[in-house]
Every structure is written in C-alpha cells, then in structure tokens.
Amino acid sequence: GENVEQHPSTLSVQEGDSAVIKCTYSDSASNYFPWYKQELGKGPQLIIDIRSNVGEKKDQRIAVTLNKTAKHFSLHITETQPEDSAVYFCAATPRAGGGADGLTFGKGTHLIIQP
Amino acid sequence: DVKVTQSSRYLVKRTGEKVFLECVQDMDHENMFWYRQDPGLGLRLIYFSYDVKMKEKGDIPEGYSVSREKKERFSLILESASTNQTSMYLCATVAGGYYEQYFGPGTRLTVT
C-alpha cells in the first residue's frame, strides 16, 4: 500500500519568515495530494490540495509543489503569522479512486511560530 | 458549510465494554470514513463506506466494525474495547466524485 513520509516532525520559525514542510510518497498511482491543518481540539481542515496533472498551486500565503518523478510534494507558507501555529498533515490517495478510497497521511509536522 | 458531528468529544470506557462511536453528516455525501489519530503516527484509516450498508476495510480494521444503516450516519463499533484502542477517533466525509474530505471534531476515547 501507499506510504507517506513527512519531515520535519517539528518546525520552529520566526514570525514573518517562511516555512517549508516536505513529504514523499511511494505509490506512483497516487494522484491527489492534500494538506490539512489541525488546530488544538479540532479536526483537520483542508488548506490546499494538488492533483497529479499540476506542478504547483498557490493560494495567498500558502503554496504546494509536486514532483511526480521524484514522488515528493511540499507545503510552503510565506510571511508566517501566529495563527499559522498548528499541526500540518500531508496525505496521498492510496489508489486511483481519489478521495472515495480514503487517504494515507504523513505523521504530521508541529509548526511553531515564534513572536 | 459541510457539518460533520460526532456523538461525543470525550469518552471513558472499561476494558471489555462494547463501544459505539457515531458520526452524522448533513451534506448527503456518499462516502464516509473512520480514522484514528495517535501521537507520532498521524491519521490511519480504519474503515470506510461508499454507500448505505456498504463497508470497506482500511489499513487497520482489526478490533473494529462499522455500520451504515442510513446515508447520513456512520458508526464505529469496538466489540470489546482494549487499552490499545485508547485514541482520538475522527470521522470524515466526501461527496461522490470529489476528493476533499471534511472532518468532524473527533472523539477522544480512553479505555481503562
């Protein structure tokens, strides 16, 4: 089955700096790569996603890049703010069935924004 | 807005008890999922369902079963709870033909 590795497990950055979280996946059939943000006491919330026919996608301060050849994708957050502090998860589809077949998640990155 | 609700935020049960965790969604989504979340392990898929009365095993189904009698409701059942099932349980839904999963707030289950 699919295996998703996520690094780093903890990331501390100064407010205003950029943060980058990286993930690799194993199944070349995976075609959907979402990123979720989980705040304390809440369920994960989708913040951005990318499909295998796109190399990069941007939404205001966040962007995701995908390299299908190398099987890795990354989350970039620019101009970080205190409210960006949370746990971030990457995920991939284990099969070509898309979201209907469930997601395989990375182990998460605890992002800490230092004032 | 999609709303996914879970029956309890916190639950404490004894070893050997039968436990029911319930998830309800209000968006008429076909697909529903149960994950468990453990520190350092991320989220792992337990079971999912494409439609009423249908179920599929995820990556870690052992010790669990599910029930989907109505489209909006998906229940996770621990037939005989054990301490290693102490965890955060998250329900999610997605509309048929789409990809985005919407999560509930989670149920933190403690088995003593």
Side-chain angles (χ1 to χ4, degrees):
Chain A
E2 176 66 279
N3 182 48
V4 177
E5 299 282 342
Q6 182 173 347
H7 299 280
S9 56
T10 303
L11 178 61
S12 181
V13 302
Q14 289 294 124
E15 183 178 347
D17 288 351
S18 296
V20 180
I21 303 170
K22 298 182 178 182
C23 288
T24 60
Y25 62 98
S26 62
D27 190 343
S28 57
S30 285
N31 63 355
Y32 174 65
F33 307 93
W35 286 89
Y36 283 83
K37 175 183 181 182
Q38 187 176 28
E39 296 174 328
L40 204 59
K42 297 183 179 180
Q45 184 176 12
L46 180 72
I47 54 171
I48 196 167
D49 57 14
I50 193 166
R51 312 237 177 136
S52 60
N53 59 342
V54 175
E56 184 172 355
K57 184 177 177 181
K58 192 172 181 180
D59 182 6
Q60 298 182 352
R61 295 187 297 108
I62 60 173
V64 57
T65 58
L66 171 65
N67 183 328
K68 282 223 79 179
T69 303
K71 294 198 197 125
H72 67 70
F73 56 113
S74 301
L75 177 71
H76 304 253
I77 305 174
T78 58
E79 300 172 14
T80 52
Q81 299 169 4
E83 54 265 35
D84 295 329
S85 293
V87 179
Y88 291 80
F89 293 96
C90 63
T93 50
R95 290 173 290 278
D101 287 346
L103 298 169
T104 297
F105 285 84
K107 290 181 170 50
T109 296
H110 186 194
L111 177 62
I112 302 165
I113 308 301
Q114 303 279 6
Chain B
D1 265 1
V2 175
K3 189 157 187 186
V4 182
T5 57
Q6 295 185 228
S7 50
S8 305
R9 293 301 304 272
Y10 300 94
L11 208 54
V12 179
K13 295 292 181 181
R14 293 190 181 273
T15 302
E17 278 193 80
K18 190 168 186 176
V19 181
F20 292 86
L21 302 181
E22 201 161 74
C23 174
V24 178
Q25 50 105 354
D26 67 354
M27 285 301 291
D28 202 36
H29 285 177
E30 286 80 2
N31 307 299
M32 298 187 75
F33 309 84
W34 276 106
Y35 294 88
R36 66 177 280 177
Q37 181 177 15
D38 300 288
L41 295 179
L43 284 77
R44 293 177 291 166
L45 182 63
I46 305 171
Y47 266 98
F48 59 105
S49 169
Y50 294 118
D51 204 346
V52 175
K53 297 198 185 296
M54 296 185 70
K55 60 183 179 184
E56 297 284 343
K57 291 180 179 179
D59 299 320
I60 52 163
E62 297 77 19
Y64 304 93
S65 62
V66 291
S67 172
R68 193 160 179 207
E69 297 296 318
K70 293 185 178 181
K71 191 174 185 179
E72 69 271 18
R73 196 178 297 266
F74 191 35
S75 300
L76 181 69
I77 304 159
L78 287 66
E79 293 289 342
S80 178
S82 64
T83 53
N84 62 12
Q85 292 178 310
T86 292
S87 187
M88 170 71 86
Y89 290 89
L90 290 158
C91 174
T93 76
V94 64
Y98 290 84
Y99 288 76
E100 179 177 349
Q101 293 199 7
Y102 295 89
F103 282 86
T107 295
R108 185 166 293 282
L109 173 68
T110 301
V111 182
T112 61

